[in-house]
């Protein structure tokens, strides 16, 4: 392979579509025709991935619900919730760019088996601590940091692996279905997690989550993947890292997409850190209300993913992204100042739709406009924007909530998100015209 160029790359345009890999094309040919909304499911490997992830991610959401409630029960502190969020996200800030380098150099399925097995072990450790009654906040912080480290490699690997399962033609649909699966599990997981949390406790949520990782590991091992063929860039990992950064920086539209993802992560979805306290102190709804809000948001996200999977190929993704960037913070501002659980559920549904439109469209535009040999590094930057800088905001939002109150803190975040998103869209207007 020729050495990577260190010069500026051309404007953001889709790379040429390669032929389907040997492990993809024959599997597509044997499939019956299915609705366009679910086109990516004609690939056997994606079927295995989709089913395993649906089970595993449902378990992960159960653990997220139970972990947040366990920390709140142990500490009764908004600040402590922020500290746990800080611990879970800080590894992404430090490691995610290097995770992208690794993803571009090794077989992605092998890497995913390792990361999923590691996450499973962390869940079992947390379950053991909870069952024996010795769990303390610092235990949760350490395990959250460990899971954050795993996710720094797992996130870009999962995203980059999709194109190997379905090819470039069905890639946008696969991304939408993957998002729908993730948020379908977000509905199922909190609903079951809230029920288990209220009946048998957080320890069972952690144990069941650990078991669910077996589903995705089994699916990965059952796939038929062709020989690993990675176009490795010459030079040291450091040179590959800097080449990836230059590649992203040289494309204004790509840089704008990453900036919107960063704004959304810092000031949009950061409200989720405070949801356990918001459900208890503002809505007076307890664990059941906390689970209901997460479920309503998840239903909205599934709805958003279905919209993208069905109509997202009509060449107006940039316009949809712009509208979602405007609508989400406005809905969040209304959510911050309601004390009614029914109204909160309706607004949470809207937040779910807005979240999914932004998350899926940004990811689709990145994946369809990136060179294959840069895919892992660019997607690691996407992971970095969504998770890596969040720890500082999680810590700050917990501190501000203790001082200013929950509603004012969430409302301020919504206003900042709106102002910054509009600024990016005005500075790089071509984003709104991306197909």
């Amino acid at each position: 392979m020729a050495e990577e160029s260190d010069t500026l790359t051309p404007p953001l345009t889709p790379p040429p579509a390669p032929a389907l890999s040997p492990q993809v094309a024959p599997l597509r040919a044997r499939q019956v025709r299915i609705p366009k909304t679910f086109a990516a499911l004609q690939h056997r490997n994606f079927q295995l991935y989709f089913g395993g992830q649906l089970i595993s991610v449902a378990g992960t959401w159960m653990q997220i619900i139970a972990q947040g409630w366990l920390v709140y029960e142990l500490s009764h502190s908004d600040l402590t919730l922020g500290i746990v969020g800080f611990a879970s996200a800080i590894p992404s800030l430090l490691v995610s760019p290097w995770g992208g380098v690794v993803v571009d150099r090794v077989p992605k399925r092998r890497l995913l088996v390792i990361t999923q097995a590691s996450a499973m072990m962390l869940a079992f450790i947390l379950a053991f601590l909870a069952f024996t009654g010795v769990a303390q906040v610092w235990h949760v912080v350490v395990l959250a940091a460990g899971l954050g480290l795993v996710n720094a490699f797992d996130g870009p690997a999962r995203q980059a692996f999709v194109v190997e399962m379905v090819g470039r033609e069905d890639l946008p649909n696969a991304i939408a279905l993957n998002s729908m699966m993730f948020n379908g599990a977000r509905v199922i997981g909190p609903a079951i997690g809230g029920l288990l949390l209220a009946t048998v406790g957080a320890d069972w949520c952690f144990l069941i989550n650990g078991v669910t990782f077996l589903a995705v590991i089994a699916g990965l091992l059952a796939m038929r993947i062709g020989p690993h063929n990675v176009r490795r860039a010459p030079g040291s990992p450091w040179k590959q890292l800097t080449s990836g950064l230059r590649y992203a920086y040289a494309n204004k539209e790509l840089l704008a997409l990453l900036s919107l993802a960063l704004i959304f992560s810092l000031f949009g979805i950061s409200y989720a850190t405070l949801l356990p306290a918001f459900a208890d102190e503002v809505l007076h709804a307890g664990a059941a209300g906390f689970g209901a809000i997460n479920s309503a948001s998840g239903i909205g996200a599934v709805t958003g993913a279905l919209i993208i999977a069905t109509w997202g190929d009509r060449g107006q993704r940039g316009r949809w992204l712009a509208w979602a960037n405007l609508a989400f913070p406005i809905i969040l501002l209304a959510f911050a100042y309601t004390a009614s659980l029914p109204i909160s559920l309706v607004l949470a549904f809207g937040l779910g739709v807005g979240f999914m439109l932004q998350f899926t469209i940004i990811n689709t535009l990145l994946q369809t406009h990136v060179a294959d040999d840069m895919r892992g590094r660019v997607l690691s930057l996407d992971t970095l924007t969504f998770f890596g800088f969040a720890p500082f905001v999680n810590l700050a939002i917990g501190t501000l909530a203790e001082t200013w109150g929950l509603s004012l803190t969430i409302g301020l975040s919504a206003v900042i998100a709106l102002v910054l998103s509009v600024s990016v869209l005005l500075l790089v207007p071509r984003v709104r015209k991306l197909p």
Side-chain angles (χ1 to χ4, degrees):
M1 170 185 165
E3 182 165 337
E4 294 182 36
S5 173
D6 291 340
T7 60
L8 296 182
T9 57
L12 189 62
T13 55
L20 290 173
S21 61
Q23 69 268 27
V24 173
L27 295 177
R28 281 193 63 189
R30 292 195 294 269
Q31 303 301 319
V32 297
R33 184 176 181 181
I34 61 176
K36 182 182 70 171
T37 303
F38 305 100
L41 287 174
Q42 63 189 305
H43 303 278
R44 176 183 177 274
N45 287 341
F46 190 72
Q47 292 171 9
L48 292 169
Y49 176 84
F50 189 92
Q53 284 284 348
L54 179 62
I55 296 171
S56 178
V57 175
T60 298
W61 276 107
M62 287 174 52
Q63 174 157 320
I64 290 172
I65 296 295
Q67 178 176 286
W69 195 256
L70 173 64
V71 170
Y72 188 67
E73 279 192 325
L74 292 173
S75 66
H76 293 284
S77 168
D78 302 340
L79 176 60
T80 304
L81 290 171
I83 291 173
V84 174
F86 180 91
S88 65
I90 193 65
S92 293
L93 177 63
L94 303 175
V95 181
S96 284
W98 296 104
V101 173
V102 173
V103 169
D104 282 336
R105 292 174 63 92
V106 304
K108 297 174 182 62
R109 178 173 63 166
R110 184 185 306 169
L111 179 59
L112 285 170
V113 170
I114 294 172
T115 57
Q116 294 293 303
S118 301
M120 178 176 66
M121 294 306 302
L122 292 172
F124 284 146
I125 293 172
L126 184 55
F128 173 79
L129 294 173
F131 270 113
T132 55
V134 300
Q136 300 179 36
V137 171
W138 75 266
H139 291 143
V140 181
V141 170
V142 171
L143 292 173
L147 185 59
L149 179 62
V150 171
N151 287 336
F153 294 90
D154 185 75
R158 279 188 290 108
Q159 294 181 63
F161 188 50
V162 173
V163 73
E164 294 187 15
M165 291 185 285
V166 303
R168 192 177 293 277
E169 179 182 351
D170 290 325
L171 178 60
N173 183 260
I175 294 172
L177 290 182
N178 201 34
S179 299
M180 184 179 68
M181 172 271 297
F182 181 84
N183 286 278
R186 187 182 179 187
V187 177
I188 299 169
I192 299 175
L195 178 62
L196 291 176
L197 187 62
T199 55
V200 297
D203 42 11
W204 280 99
C205 295
F206 303 144
L207 177 62
I208 294 172
N209 175 49
V211 174
T212 61
F213 282 103
L214 295 174
V216 67
I217 293 173
L220 288 167
L221 294 177
M223 292 180 185
R224 295 196 289 268
I225 301 293
H228 178 53
N229 183 23
V230 174
R231 296 174 59 198
R232 294 190 180 183
S236 67
W238 174 256
K239 181 176 180 180
Q240 294 175 43
L241 175 64
T242 55
S243 295
L245 294 175
R246 283 194 296 269
Y247 177 85
Y249 183 77
N251 292 279
K252 289 184 178 180
E253 293 85 1
L254 192 152
L255 185 61
L257 291 171
L258 293 173
S259 298
L260 290 174
L262 177 61
I263 294 166
F264 185 48
S265 172
L266 296 183
F267 303 107
I269 60 175
S270 58
Y271 79 96
T273 301
L274 300 176
L275 271 185
F278 190 86
D280 185 48
E281 299 175 18
V282 177
L283 300 176
H284 307 290
F290 177 45
I293 291 173
N294 279 279
S295 295
S297 178
I299 293 171
V302 171
T303 302
L306 279 172
I307 292 172
I308 294 298
T310 305
W311 294 291
D313 60 349
R314 298 188 177 182
Q316 298 184 349
R317 295 189 183 103
R319 183 178 300 177
W320 287 28
L321 177 61
W323 280 112
N325 267 276
L326 297 176
F328 184 92
I330 294 173
I331 298 172
L332 181 59
L333 184 61
F335 179 85
Y337 285 98
T338 181
S340 167
L341 180 60
I343 295 176
S344 295
L345 294 178
V346 174
L347 293 172
F349 174 85
L351 291 173
V353 174
F355 162 81
M356 185 47 51
L357 290 179
Q358 291 186 75
F359 178 86
T360 305
I361 293 173
I362 289 174
N363 189 266
T364 300
L365 290 173
L366 288 174
Q367 290 236 45
T368 55
H369 292 81
V370 68
D372 287 333
D373 58 343
M374 287 286 183
R375 188 176 301 277
R377 278 165 281 183
V378 170
L379 292 178
S380 72
L381 296 178
D382 187 36
T383 300
L384 177 65
T385 58
F386 264 106
F387 303 108
F389 294 99
F392 301 100
V393 173
N394 288 337
L395 194 59
I397 203 171
T399 304
L400 292 177
E402 292 257 336
T403 306
W404 293 354
L406 293 163
S407 294
L408 180 58
T409 302
I410 295 174
L412 179 61
S413 297
V415 171
I416 295 174
L418 179 61
V419 172
L420 293 180
S421 295
V422 170
S423 300
V424 171
L425 293 172
L426 291 176
L427 288 171
V428 190
R430 284 184 57 184
V431 169
R432 304 196 300 272
K433 300 178 182 179
L434 290 175

